[in-house]
Amino acid sequence: MPQIKIPAVYVRGGTSKGVIFKLSDLPERAQNAGEARDKLLLRVLGSPDPYKQQIDGLGNASSSTSKALILSKSTQPEHDVDYLFGQVAIDKPFVDWSGNCGNMTAAVGAFAIAQGIVDKEKIPENGICTVRIWQKNIGKTIIAHVPIQNGEVLETGDFELDGVTFPAAEVVIEFLDPADGEGAMFPTGNVVDLLDIPDIGQIPATLINSGIPTVFVNAADIGYTGTELQADINGDPEKLAFFEKIRAYGALKMGLIANLDEAQTRQHTPKVAFVAPAQSYTASSGKMVEKQEIDLLVRAFSMGKLHHAMMGTASVAIATAAAVPNTLVNLAAGGGEREAVRFGHPSGTLRVGAAVAQQPNGEWTATKAVMSRSARVIMEGWVRVPDDCF
């Protein structure tokens, strides 16, 4: 069969990269959710690849770079763009649609403006264009504040984001009502639970649905310091299996899966992360992060590997959990009430903020979380795939 070509844009969003499509540009049989769409995205990224390299596709063999986005004019009132995110597995024939990607969210507003999805009258000649995004995976509103110069998206600038080599223009993102799904922000009703895990023991954990479902544990409780880098963990199958076991039992406790076997088909969510009080460490770039620069340390896993920086959605979870007194994240940051934290991750630091409130029934809710990211188009044109691959 011949190859076909599909309009696509290859974009860096935050500390991730992915391929963005307009829904209307996809082949008709892939415009609806289902097997054809999943097979198409797998082929575009180069999955499943038993070599785990994605040589025959646009993926770069990491969870941060095996991503696909589908955008369209919003069907929701008072929104500009509908945003659907797929996390494409590397070595398995699987696309996970269970959550959002906060890093790639930074690219959604800019793409929607550049591709004519946002109404022209909303775009200033110079200034900030406010784009209201409907995140279809989780049914939430996100607001992106995109810089505009001479009527076009401004991508260059001096905003530096640890985990990204070059500076770019700052994009401020607001995640409104960021609790994931329709359930409680703390699905068990507790800010700290005990996970009883065979061969590991009882581990205190904060289980939160905000930005993305996340399982937080203390680094000290599992024999870590919080200063670890990818090389300290990702090459050791036993360590990776250890964290996957914690993630699976956390997912079960949160009610995200009915049995442990389901965790294998829900790799994108929940995330698992460990936290520790602030201390100095050397980031993966060689830069020294001093103790006084940060409030706490956080290390998080994505698709079974320690992330090189921090997922955007997990950053929302960190901000929200830090704002709620007595969560493990809050205690690692020093406890008390706080509207923002700066945390240390493997590539450097990030500042995030959140607004929370406790309801009369004792439940906690979050009204919004805010962070700064950047995005840049790397390449645009067509991606080619064999016509019989989906």
Side-chain angles (χ1 to χ4, degrees):
M1 296 291 290
Q3 289 212 102
I4 61 171
K5 58 183 187 179
I6 305 166
V9 181
Y10 193 50
V11 179
R12 177 187 63 76
T15 56
S16 293
K17 286 192 294 189
V19 187
I20 307 183
F21 300 95
K22 286 176 69 173
L23 177 63
S24 58
D25 286 337
L26 291 177
E28 187 175 353
R29 60 187 184 274
Q31 290 189 10
N32 294 310
E35 183 180 12
R37 174 183 288 178
D38 287 6
K39 284 184 173 181
L40 171 64
L41 298 182
L42 284 160
R43 195 67 162 94
V44 167
L45 273 300
S47 300
D49 183 357
Y51 305 105
K52 301 182 181 181
Q53 300 300 314
Q54 294 181 311
I55 293 297
D56 202 17
L58 289 173
N60 291 153
S62 76
S63 67
S64 301
T65 59
S66 189
K67 300 173 182 288
L69 287 68
I70 301 172
L71 305 188
S72 58
K73 197 160 189 69
S74 185
T75 57
Q76 299 292 318
E78 300 180 356
H79 287 74
D80 300 299
V81 56
D82 286 350
Y83 158 38
L84 186 65
F85 169 72
Q87 179 71 53
V88 179
I90 295 169
D91 59 342
K92 298 179 178 65
F94 179 64
V95 181
D96 195 331
W97 301 99
S98 66
N100 179 32
C101 175
N103 273 301
M104 289 305 298
T105 297
V108 171
F111 180 95
I113 293 168
Q115 295 289 323
I117 296 174
V118 175
D119 293 338
K120 285 186 178 181
E121 57 267 24
K122 285 197 64 176
I123 306 169
E125 183 66 17
N126 292 285
I128 300 294
C129 181
T130 299
V131 182
R132 291 183 66 87
I133 301 163
W134 180 251
Q135 215 300 319
K136 294 184 68 175
N137 300 76
I138 58 174
K140 296 291 182 179
T141 298
I142 301 171
I143 300 176
H145 301 276
V146 182
I148 303 294
Q149 187 176 77
N150 299 325
E152 297 184 350
V153 172
L154 178 64
E155 295 180 302
T156 57
D158 57 6
F159 173 72
E160 295 186 355
L161 179 63
D162 285 341
V164 177
T165 306
F166 305 107
E170 181 180 14
V171 178
V172 177
I173 307 169
E174 298 179 68
F175 298 82
L176 303 188
D177 183 24
D180 189 74
E182 298 181 357
M185 193 164 82
F186 295 100
T188 65
N190 306 314
V191 297
V192 177
D193 286 280
L194 277 179
L195 296 180
D196 197 350
I197 307 174
D199 301 322
I200 293 178
Q202 288 191 329
I203 302 176
T206 289
L207 311 173
I208 189 169
N209 278 328
S210 185
I212 201 162
T214 305
V215 178
F216 289 105
V217 298
N218 285 322
D221 291 338
I222 56 173
Y224 287 85
T225 64
T227 62
E228 288 78 10
L229 305 181
Q230 285 187 306
D232 299 317
I233 294 176
N234 286 351
D236 189 327
E238 288 188 7
K239 290 179 179 179
L240 296 176
F242 174 84
F243 283 102
E244 176 58 23
K245 195 168 187 178
I246 295 174
R247 191 187 78 88
Y249 275 86
L252 194 64
K253 188 85 169 180
M254 297 175 82
L256 296 173
I257 56 176
N259 59 71
L260 292 172
D261 291 339
E262 291 182 18
Q264 292 303 308
T265 59
R266 192 185 174 107
Q267 294 183 328
H268 182 50
T269 58
K271 303 301 185 187
V272 61
F274 57 96
V275 299
Q279 59 178 301
S280 300
Y281 68 98
T282 303
S284 55
S285 65
K287 179 179 70 173
M288 191 68 184
V289 177
E290 301 292 347
K291 176 180 177 179
Q292 61 269 25
E293 296 177 32
I294 54 177
D295 300 301
L296 77 159
L297 298 166
V298 190
R299 300 296 189 261
F301 289 75
S302 179
M303 301 296 284
K305 296 291 183 71
L306 182 66
H307 197 274
H308 72 101
M310 184 56 63
M311 305 81 79
T313 47
S315 299
V316 173
I318 293 165
T320 310
V324 176
N326 298 317
T327 67
L328 297 187
V329 181
N330 173 267
L331 294 174
E337 296 183 1
R338 51 183 66 240
E339 295 180 352
V341 290
R342 182 176 292 278
F343 62 87
H345 56 72
S347 293
T349 69
L350 182 67
R351 186 180 188 276
V352 291
V356 300
Q358 191 170 27
Q359 304 305 307
N361 64 359
E363 285 191 4
W364 285 92
T365 59
T367 54
K368 71 176 179 179
V370 182
M371 72 181 73
S372 290
R373 282 289 194 265
S374 63
R376 185 178 75 86
V377 171
I378 296 173
M379 186 164 57
E380 55 190 334
W382 298 271
V383 62
R384 294 181 181 245
V385 293
D387 195 24
D388 61 350
C389 74
F390 64 103

